Structure formats: C-alpha cells, structure tokens
Amino acid sequence: MTPEELVQNVLVGYGVSVSNVTYSGELTQRGSFRNGQTTNLGINRGVILTSGDIFDIPDACDGTVSANQNWGASDPDLVAISGQNIRDASVLEFDFIPQSDTLTFRYVFGSEEYNEYVCCQFNDAFGFFISGDGYNGPYTNNAENIAIIPGSLPPLPVTINSVNNGTVGSNCSPGGCTSLAYASLFVDNCEGGGFGTTIEYDGFTVVLTAQAIVTPCSTYHIKLAVGDASDGAFDSGVFLEANSFSATGLQISSNFSSSSSSYGALIEGCNDATLYFELVETLPDPYVIHFDYLGTAVNGVDYQLLPDSLVIPPGDIIDSLNIIPIQDFTVDPTRTLIIAFDY
C-alpha cells in the first residue's frame, strides 16, 4: 500500500479527517497486517512500521532473524528519546482534523533487542509526536510524544529500557536504564516460557492506548516513528491497530419518511425527516447537544418548532430530531434549513 492508503484505508477510524500524508524509510519498512487473532499480539489488523523488514515479523521466535541493517536515515526526535544515534528510521506523518476533543489509538511495540540488550547501549525507540493547538513540547515543531507508559509521572516514553521483563540484559552490564518497573506491560515472547510461534520479535508490549487532548476542528500534525539505536541490527517495530486512530464525538445520519428521484427534500404535506445523533459507546453522564437553526426556513413557521438542545441520557447511545414541514397551502419558494450543533 501507498502511505496514503495505509493511513486512509487502514489506520483512520471515526471522527478524523487526514491530509498531507508523507513517509520516509525503505518500502519494506512499512505495510499492513491482518490475522493477528491467530497470534499472541493482541491486535487483529492494522499498520506496521519497522526499523527492519516487515516480512521478517510473521515467523517463529528464534532470536536470529529480523536483524537487517539497512543503515537508513536518523530522526532527531527518536534521538532525543533514546539518547543515542538512530538508524533505519521508519517515519509516517500526516495532518489531521479531529471532530471531538480526545484523540486515541491503540498500538503494540516490539523488538529483537529483548531481552539480551535491556538497559544496554541499544535503546531502540519509537514515538508518536503530535503538534498543533495546545502543544508546546520539546520535539520538532513543539511536538509532544504521546507514546508514554500509562500513569507514569513524569510521563515516561515506551522504549526497550522502560518496558521489559524487569531484568538487565545478559549481553551488557547494568547502566543507563530509565526504569524496570513496568514488567506487567511486557510480553516475553521468546525466552520467557517457550518460543513464540507467530511473531518473530523476542518481546513486545501489551496493547497500549495513545491519547491526546485536542481542540475540535483544529488542524494537528502527527509523526509516527520507530528506529534502531546505535547500530542497525536487531530491529524493532510498532503495530498500529486498524481504525483505532479516532476522535469520535457523534455519528450523524438522516432518513426521509418518503422520497423519490424527483426531489430529495422536505415537501409540505408529503414527508418529514429524522436526524439521528449517535455515540459510539454509552457514557456515565448526560450528553448534551446544542442546536442553532440557520438558513431561510424559520423554526416554528416553516417547520414544527424544534428544541434548542437534545440530551442523550446516561446508558443510551442515540437520540433524534423529527423535522416536520408545516403545510400552509400557499405556493412557497424553496427554502433551506441548516442545523448547526456543538457538543
């Protein structure tokens, strides 16, 4: 797939529009995957970015494959996270406009550096760098990294040295380790209790969720990147769950009670229409939607009076507005109704 297809057709879910997709890295460092339910990965389908070769990943864990040295380009933000030189960076970037105030997506980070090189000189890293309204971070374009360990204070990036089996690697002496406290987030795929048969990486994280607070309808930029630290051997990769990159507020749909090919509108005495406002999941609190009625049609004059707000009760996911034209038995010009809403 092209970078645009990976983002538009695989990664993006509801409530987000994307543009200006770019990619840097080798062709075989990016791709899509499926059938994850047959593995211990925890994600069924999605996008993969790797510092090596994507075709090495679906294989039994034997500790020797996935050691490609592409000697590819570096990335300054990955250098800042790792504290080391970066090679073989695989970087996917795009602009996006969120519909609601919270962006989320799910991912798994895996590596061949586990477990022998935990806390060594090879701290392979990745990051999700978001920039735009409300962000003033230390990375390029004032971006912040949202690939962090849940609940860590201060926020700790997910890397080889921060999420692992809790022991220093056998191929190095202790030193340079940021944390060994998050073993519960680690899947020991190779050495820890039998060889994995479906994913080559020696270890990977459990499924984690990246989250960012955003301003609805503002334009943001995100860079998804992974790379090898120090040398180009023993690769790492990040799996991004399909359709999980979302900022879902409301899903809107409509239905006419009667329509035909000769008109696609509300006609006095002929039909009415229903607008449905639907959440993707139930919420613990009332969900209030405020309306403004614009256009040339007048609320309560050209159509039956509509309320200025609607409330989806806790535990429900959908409510609706019924729009009924008022039949006045006069010949009227065509009028428009625009319903603007915020939530």
Side-chain angles (χ1 to χ4, degrees), residues 94-338:
F94 54 90
D95 296 330
F96 70 94
I97 299 175
Q99 183 190 80
S100 74
D101 62 3
T102 305
L103 169 79
T104 61
F105 57 98
R106 286 165 30 104
Y107 67 95
V108 168
F109 171 67
S111 180
E112 281 290 277
E113 301 287 358
Y114 292 118
N115 291 312
E116 296 87 346
Y117 296 98
V118 170
C119 297
C120 295
Q121 69 271 33
F122 307 110
N123 186 28
D124 284 6
F126 78 106
F128 306 142
F129 305 98
I130 183 172
S131 56
D133 184 32
Y135 288 92
N136 189 28
Y139 302 103
T140 305
N141 298 322
N142 296 320
E144 293 183 20
N145 178 27
I146 58 173
I148 60 175
I149 294 174
S152 60
L153 291 174
L156 184 64
V158 176
T159 67
I160 301 296
N161 286 355
S162 62
V163 178
N164 47 63
N165 65 353
T167 59
V168 174
S170 58
N171 287 355
C172 60
S173 55
C177 208
T178 55
S179 173
L180 290 174
Y182 300 100
S184 63
L185 303 180
F186 179 67
V187 178
D188 202 337
N189 189 47
C190 200
E191 284 86 357
F195 288 89
T197 60
T198 55
I199 302 294
E200 170 58 39
Y201 292 141
D202 287 10
F204 42 85
T205 69
V206 299
V207 180
L208 300 173
T209 299
Q211 177 174 298
I213 302 303
V214 291
T215 301
C217 303
S218 295
T219 299
Y220 289 84
H221 183 82
I222 194 164
K223 177 171 74 173
L224 313 169
V226 62
D228 284 328
S230 187
D231 62 11
F234 296 100
D235 306 311
S236 299
V238 60
F239 303 82
L240 308 166
E241 185 176 47
N243 305 130
S244 70
F245 192 94
S246 60
T248 304
L250 288 171
Q251 300 304 305
I252 313 301
S253 61
S254 62
N255 181 58
F256 287 99
S257 62
S258 171
S259 188
S260 74
S261 59
S262 60
Y263 63 90
L266 291 167
I267 306 297
E268 293 178 13
C270 290
N271 67 346
D272 57 14
T274 304
L275 287 182
Y276 299 96
F277 300 85
E278 185 174 5
L279 301 169
V280 295
E281 61 183 358
T282 60
L283 299 175
D285 301 310
Y287 193 91
V288 182
I289 308 164
H290 300 278
F291 299 110
D292 283 321
Y293 300 102
L294 312 174
T296 57
V298 179
N299 190 13
V301 176
D302 295 302
Y303 52 92
Q304 291 186 11
L305 188 67
L306 292 175
D308 60 4
S309 64
L310 179 151
V311 178
I312 300 178
D316 288 348
I317 63 170
I318 192 169
D319 209 335
S320 61
L321 287 179
N322 194 24
I323 307 170
I324 304 174
I326 296 175
Q327 188 173 12
D328 56 13
F329 299 101
T330 61
V331 177
D332 298 319
T334 299
R335 295 191 173 101
T336 60
L337 168 59
I338 300 171

